[in-house]
Each structure stands twice: as structure tokens, then as C-alpha cells.
Amino acid sequence: MNRAFSPFVKSLLVAVLAVSATAHAEDKKPAHAEPAALKGDAAKGSTLFGSGDAARGLPACVSCHGEGGNSTITVNPKLAGQNAGYLNKQLVNFTTPERNQPVMTTYAKMLTEQEKLDIATYLAAQASKPNAAKNKDTVELGKKIYRGGIAEKNVPACASCHGATGAGIPVQYPRLAGQHQDYTVAQLGLFKADGRKNSPQMSTIAKRMSEDEMKAVADYVAGLK
């Protein structure tokens, strides 16, 4: 009798083990699977940047940041060629106390997470128009600080994070090459006064710099390509 039921018992045992293994594997799965990462749509970003959304009262970004993100208003940043991850992070930061700015905070809160990424993706693909240093008397000081820092003030070389050519590092550190001098000086001032709180590193560094040193660096990076 044992021989007669042996194949059946063996099959039953295999089936039970299989079910048990499957159940164990299911137990290991997270209760809520992580959502798939969003991907930016440059075409949709282009439409929002160039036309805005009148139905929501969202103006076209181009009105302040220029065609293709090449702002001609020196207090507004040039966004063309900026790292998409960094741009997206800033748009998110504008919706938090970390970077509260009356105009951008209002508009950033109107955008969905997908739209933020779409705009960032579009701008990252645009070519940045070259700029130039303006003050020949301070450009060497700016170059020295950018490349070597200020040892006596414990200010690191800007190039160590933003790159030798000012290209930046995606998400963490922005592209600085060709940026308007006025905008760069203003941001360093905000970091120094804790008016901008989304980069502890920059707040620490800016507090160690004088206004003249900030202006020199800002002028130097404007000429980087």
C-alpha cells in the first residue's frame, strides 16, 4: 500500500512546498510598491514654458526667463542648459520654506510634479548663449577664488563642486557657466543672509565671503563656457 501511494504522496509534498515558497516570497514584497520614476517630456515642457496655462492663471516662463531659457533680464537666471535634475529640485524647493520666493513659489505650486520635470527636461536640452566677464580689474580675483578658494577663510574652490568649466553636477550643484552676474551675486547674498535655505553648504561658504569677493566670482563665472 505504501508503494501504491508513494508517487501521490511525493507529488502532494512537492505541491505543498511550492505553495509555501510562493507565500514566503509574497510576504517579502513591500506592502506598497514604489511608483515608477517620472520621466520628463520636453515637448510638453516647451509648451508650458512658451505659453503657460491661461486656464490656471499660469504665465509663460519665457516672459521672465527668455527664449529657450536665455534670460536677457540680468536679475532673472539663465536656465538654458541647466541640469534637469537641479532645475526640478529647485521647482520643488520653491514649494517649501527652503526657498520661498514670492513669484516663483506662487507659480511652482501651480505645477504638478510631472510638469516640473517636463519644464526641467526641456530647459536642459536648450543651448545656453555665451556671456562674458565685465570687470577686468576683478576677474583675476574671481578666477583665483573659483579655482583655488580662499584658504585663510576656509572657502573651498568653487570648481570642486561646480566643475572647472562651471558645468555643475546634476541635482546637487548647478551649472554656473554664463550665468548673469547680478543673479549670482543676489543668490550668494541670500545664502549669506539665510534667505535661501536649500543648500547648507552654500550658506556656510557665503557667510565667509565679502561682497567684493562674491562679485568677483560672479563676474568670472559669467565668462565661463
Side-chain angles (χ1 to χ4, degrees), residues 38-42 45 78-93 99 113-126 167-175:
L38 294 175
K39 292 183 179 180
D41 186 321
K78 292 175 67 175
L79 302 178
Q82 186 60 268
N83 299 313
Y86 180 80
L87 284 173
N88 184 63
K89 178 182 181 294
Q90 299 313 300
L91 285 171
V92 172
N93 286 167
R99 194 174 182 187
E113 297 308 300
Q114 181 64 59
E115 287 171 337
K116 290 181 178 71
L117 192 55
D118 291 345
I119 292 172
T121 301
Y122 162 70
L123 286 167
Q126 306 310 299
I169 299 175
V171 184
Q172 297 138 303
Y173 307 111
R175 171 190 172 89

Side-chain angles (χ1 to χ4, degrees), residues 52-126:
D53 186 348
R56 285 184 285 170
L58 181 69
C61 313
V62 67
S63 60
C64 289
H65 294 287
E67 193 69 33
N70 281 290
S71 167
T72 57
I73 304 171
T74 62
V75 294
N76 293 338
K78 292 175 67 175
L79 302 178
Q82 186 60 268
N83 299 313
Y86 180 80
L87 284 173
N88 184 63
K89 178 182 181 294
Q90 299 313 300
L91 285 171
V92 172
N93 286 167
F94 277 125
T95 68
T96 74
E98 290 185 330
R99 194 174 182 187
N100 197 316
Q101 201 271 352
V103 176
M104 283 306 305
T105 293
T106 298
Y107 299 142
K109 286 181 176 179
M110 291 183 183
L111 298 170
T112 66
E113 297 308 300
Q114 181 64 59
E115 287 171 337
K116 290 181 178 71
L117 192 55
D118 291 345
I119 292 172
T121 301
Y122 162 70
L123 286 167
Q126 306 310 299

Side-chain angles (χ1 to χ4, degrees), residues 14-34:
V14 169
V16 169
L17 289 173
V19 170
S20 176
T22 301
H24 183 65
E26 290 294 326
D27 287 342
K28 286 191 171 184
K29 289 183 180 179
H32 300 286
E34 289 294 320

